[in-house]
Amino acid sequence: DIQMTQSPSSLSASVGDRVTITCRASQSISSYLNWYQQKPGKAPKLLIYAASSLQSGVPSRFSGSGSGTDFTLTISSLQPEDFATYYCQQSYSTLWAFGQGTKLEIK
Amino acid sequence: QVQLVQSGAEVKKPGASVKVSCKASGYTFTGYYMHWVRQAPGQGLEWMGRINPNSGGTNYAQKFQGRVTMTRDTSISTAYMELSRLRSDDTAVYYCAGVVVPAAISPDYYYYMDVWGKGTTVTVSS
């Protein structure tokens, strides 16, 4: 099975900061990598699919990059509503998997 | 509008089974896989498996093999997830999630979960 590892597990940042979250796959997954945002008590929301494509309606301050085994999610200028937990997820293999999550907190 | 409506919260005793339903509306239920994802209190997202609503074919995460059964009823656009031999560590919110339209980025199709149910809380306690 493909394992997904995110870093860091938690991150403190301020409004206006640029932040980057990393996701690594245990084997190559080409560009079959999605990113989700989850706020407490809510279902996850799709942000990025195919590693770098922005889901409709998602602000352009979110961007994704990478292919193969290493991927990043970048938020160019943090807004108050961006403080949440972020998950990567691979859709390359038959059995999908999530990373363990990165909790983004206000500094 | 596109939505997935899940059944209500459940409280079960250890060793029992639970069956959660997920009714789709606003899109073609039989078009693409329906996935089930769970989240234990304070923990991350865990992919449990998926069902092809068209064929009924399933794929389960190894952790749940032998304990989970995913089914569907196409006549009412509803998917089901049944988990048996419940333990206290099965206490979690269970989500169904699907894709309305996959992304066609030549030459491939990319799949994701862009429609989610609100979640069903399952509590396992003696």
Side-chain angles (χ1 to χ4, degrees):
Chain A
D1 295 1
I2 299 174
Q3 312 298 321
M4 307 301 294
T5 304
Q6 287 180 235
S7 61
S9 295
S10 63
L11 175 58
S12 294
S14 301
V15 173
D17 283 355
R18 178 184 180 91
V19 299
T20 297
I21 298 169
T22 297
C23 177
R24 175 164 290 175
S26 59
Q27 66 182 74
S28 177
I29 57 170
S30 184
S31 296
Y32 292 89
L33 190 282
N34 306 314
W35 289 96
Y36 300 84
Q37 176 194 67
Q38 187 182 33
K39 296 183 178 179
K42 299 294 187 182
K45 172 188 172 183
L46 178 68
L47 297 177
I48 301 281
Y49 61 90
S52 60
S53 295
L54 195 66
Q55 172 69 344
S56 175
V58 174
S60 59
R61 61 181 180 273
F62 290 92
S63 63
S65 66
S67 67
T69 60
D70 294 314
F71 303 86
T72 59
L73 172 69
T74 299
I75 310 172
S76 60
S77 179
L78 274 173
Q79 298 302 300
E81 61 268 29
D82 299 338
F83 292 94
T85 301
Y86 294 85
Y87 295 92
C88 62
Q89 174 255 316
Q90 65 85 10
S91 58
Y92 176 81
S93 63
T94 299
L95 304 182
W96 289 13
F98 287 94
Q100 81 277 18
T102 295
K103 186 173 184 179
L104 181 52
E105 298 175 303
I106 302 174
K107 185 183 286 185
Chain B
Q1 73 277 28
V2 173
Q3 63 178 350
L4 299 174
V5 177
Q6 297 187 223
S7 50
E10 303 262 13
V11 180
K12 296 291 183 181
K13 293 195 181 302
S17 297
V18 68
K19 190 171 186 177
V20 179
S21 67
C22 171
K23 181 173 177 61
S25 61
Y27 75 106
T28 304
F29 172 69
T30 53
Y32 305 100
Y33 280 98
M34 184 72 76
H35 301 261
W36 289 89
V37 175
R38 80 175 187 180
Q39 186 170 39
Q43 302 301 308
L45 302 173
E46 184 172 30
W47 185 83
M48 298 180 68
R50 67 183 188 179
I51 181 167
N52 180 329
N54 192 36
S55 68
T58 55
N59 303 106
Y60 302 138
Q62 191 167 5
K63 175 177 180 176
F64 300 101
Q65 283 277 3
R67 278 209 308 143
V68 71
T69 304
M70 296 177 187
T71 57
R72 92 291 189 216
D73 183 338
T74 56
S75 69
I76 55 171
S77 299
T78 299
Y80 302 92
M81 186 284 300
E82 184 170 21
L83 190 62
S84 63
R85 302 192 302 278
L86 289 168
R87 307 185 292 255
S88 58
D89 62 358
D90 291 319
T91 294
V93 177
Y94 290 76
Y95 295 101
C96 58
V99 60
V100 178
V101 178
I105 304 175
S106 183
D108 297 319
Y109 280 90
Y110 290 81
Y111 296 88
Y112 36 76
M113 293 173 274
D114 66 349
V115 57
W116 291 70
K118 292 186 184 299
T120 296
T121 299
V122 175
T123 303
V124 183
S125 174
S126 54

